[in-house]
Amino acid sequence: MINVNGKEIETDAEGYLADLSDWSEEVAEFLAAQDELKLDEKRWQVINWIRDYYAENGTAPNLRVMTKLIGEDLGEDFSDKKFLFDLFPYGPAKQAARYAGMPKPTGCV
């Protein structure tokens, strides 16, 4: 459970939202702050890309899918695993999906 702006929001043991409709930018900022990370423009681009991917596919992308597709939308740099790990050191697919309010990706993360 987390408390964002006075609102109690249920999470699972790994910090993923129990109810995806509880997501907001403030929730993303709160979750990032727990990891001592500041959400800058590039991180927001990834978060928003994941949210768009989820809206189209009904699932959060795993790292393999992410590196294969994200560069087409955000630029070649984003297809590089090292670049993504620099942005999200605890695992780009898992960490960014958590900030994006998405379920934990399955498969190769």
Side-chain angles (χ1 to χ4, degrees), residues 32-94:
Q34 286 183 318
D35 293 338
E36 298 180 3
L37 210 65
K38 175 131 177 65
L39 297 182
D40 58 17
E41 181 183 347
K42 289 180 181 178
R43 289 183 176 103
W44 275 116
Q45 286 179 284
V46 174
I47 290 167
N48 289 322
W49 184 87
I50 288 174
R51 291 185 59 78
D52 291 343
Y53 182 92
Y54 185 86
E56 287 182 28
N57 300 285
T59 184
N62 62 39
L63 183 58
R64 187 178 58 78
V65 169
M66 195 172 166
T67 56
K68 184 176 179 181
L69 300 176
I70 197 169
E72 296 171 15
D73 296 324
L74 301 182
E76 192 176 314
D77 286 349
F78 288 87
S79 291
D80 180 60
K81 283 183 187 177
K82 182 184 179 331
F83 178 83
L84 290 173
F85 270 96
D86 286 345
L87 294 176
F88 299 99
Y90 297 117
K94 293 188 294 185

